[in-house]
Amino acid sequence: MEPLVQFFYILLPFLRDWPEWLALTVIGIVAALLMFGFVAIFALFAIWLERKVSAHMQDRIGPMEVGGWHGWAQTIADTIKLLVKEDIVPENADRILFKLAPAIVFTAALAGFAVLPWTQDFIPADLNVGLLYILSVSSFAVIGILMGGWASNNKWSLYGAMRSASQMVSYEIPVALALLAVVMNAGTLSMRHLVMAQSGNILDWNVFNFFPLTAVAFIIYFVASLAEVNRTPFDLPEGESELVGGFHTEYSGMRFAFFFLGEYANMYVVSAIATTVFLGGWLPPFEFLSFIPGPIWFVGKAMTMVFIQMWLRWTLPRLRVDQLMYTCWKVLTPFSFAIILLIGLWKVI
Amino acid sequence: MEANQILFIAIALLTVLSAAMVAFSNKLIHSAFALLATFTGFAMLYVYLSADFLAVTQIVVYVGGILILILFGVLMTHKIYSTTKKTAHNSLIVSLLGGILSAGLILFIISKAPWAPLLAKGFNPTTAIIGKEILTGYLLPFEIISVLLLGALIGAIYIARAEDK
């Protein structure tokens, strides 16, 4: 039985008396709502953090007024503003596709949360092909972005969508290859088993395995995942100096908010994959720290990765399109192939 | 009716209706995007048959690769905004005859086919078995496919870079 179903059965014993399909449906809906709540709260916090980080890096102080303490309520105010804004659909837009696109992008981002292992017992679905599943649902986001870019009937949106799609499709290859280097050693695609294989102290984490080979794979994964989620230095799809706002130029109000929410959820998902595959998931770095519960380690490690993403955003300039393709095809891809070969060799010897 | 059957009917409806949209939609771009639902429906059917690896691969290959290629092709079509699908008008009798003949053929095959009853086995992981089979029993087809794909890759690069000469 799924660990999550067991978790709910222990939490709410009366679910056992219900017919199985009803109990499973209720558990599924509740889990999905929990994840949605997490995404919403995470995005509120991450947007505030991004503003503070960017401000401090530019020697400013950022939002300070709303809510009192360091402007903590700034994003809540912004969200309310977005909610009450007029919902504009351009006259020549393809109405159906225009309205569908944010839903698809956000669904793709939320679907990734289904296999994230928060602790040994709390994982919404411990799929046998978990890692592959997360890579596959990310391709829905590409379709959603292309849909939004085309339906807006705006050349900047279309250019942004095309750039975004080609970038995400290209960088899927180094992402998959870098993860394959670890999967080859662990012999499983299940997110839970990937973490369980790393138990021990910090030196047993995959990032220090086959030192320095998997460490390089981790760096390749991190760089490529930045491109996957369209973050700086790979944020050409929304380069405001050339494309206004990229694929979401025409979006306003709640639909824009959903694109934004999807983007921040994706930031968390790629950080959580890095945490699971390379940084030991919910495991503490040292044995004596194991009194701190697993979810805190998991979220803490993932948030550290999110912070590094923000840090890079305000440190590095944007790449050109040719540099983007050069980095992917001539640097990251050959290096990840070399790492797979070397790890294979290491294992044979 | 069991919940299981309701789920199956919902998945089948999604697949068939979106496939109908692909075939009958007036706008080319709508057909292309309707393929997304069709491919997802296929993947769901694979999950229903407890073929988890196949389902995920279906999404990676068809949604992540082929559908994006199709979309790029459609988006780069000249004057896509005003292009409508031009259905050829063949004579009614010939097309009716062809349709009835192929429907009869398919019905005949369906009536003869030995349908396997739904397997009562549990949800067993298939990834490891598929991997072993590909590298043992089916090694030759696997290698032939990889050589074929390599050829296609080199050919595509050659065609794309032909202007340099």
Side-chain angles (χ1 to χ4, degrees), chain B residues 38-121:
Chain B
T38 316
F39 289 148
T40 316
F42 273 127
M44 287 174 180
L45 283 177
Y46 289 141
V47 174
Y48 195 82
L49 294 170
S50 67
D52 50 357
F53 184 76
L54 195 59
V56 175
T57 317
Q58 157 90 10
I59 299 278
V60 170
V61 172
Y62 279 88
V63 176
I66 290 175
L67 183 55
I68 290 174
L69 276 183
I70 292 176
L71 280 174
F72 266 85
V74 172
L75 292 177
M76 286 176 177
T77 310
H78 188 54
K79 285 186 182 164
I80 179 70
Y81 295 96
S82 51
T83 306
T84 48
K85 230 189 291 186
K86 294 176 187 69
T87 316
H89 290 284
N90 296 325
S91 83
L92 183 68
I93 301 167
V94 177
S95 27
L96 207 63
L97 208 67
I100 290 173
L101 266 180
S102 25
L105 193 67
I106 292 169
L107 279 177
F108 178 71
I109 295 170
I110 289 176
S111 68
K112 288 286 175 193
W115 292 101
L118 194 60
L119 297 175
K121 60 172 180 153

Side-chain angles (χ1 to χ4, degrees), chain B residues 23-45:
Chain B
F24 298 120
S25 170
N26 270 328
K27 280 186 183 162
L28 207 55
I29 193 89
H30 285 184
S31 298
F33 279 120
L35 267 180
L36 174 66
T38 316
F39 289 148
T40 316
F42 273 127
M44 287 174 180
L45 283 177

Side-chain angles (χ1 to χ4, degrees), chain A residues 32 140 264 335:
Chain A
F140 280 92
Y264 275 85
F335 268 92

Side-chain angles (χ1 to χ4, degrees), chain B residues 3 17 22-23 29 60 81 90 93 100 104 112 114 126-127 135 137 143-144 147 149 156 161 163:
Chain B
L17 288 183
V22 175
I29 193 89
V60 170
Y81 295 96
N90 296 325
I93 301 167
I100 290 173
K112 288 286 175 193
T126 53
T127 318
L135 290 180
E143 287 300 330
I144 290 174
V147 171
L149 287 176
R161 293 188 68 92
E163 65 205 287

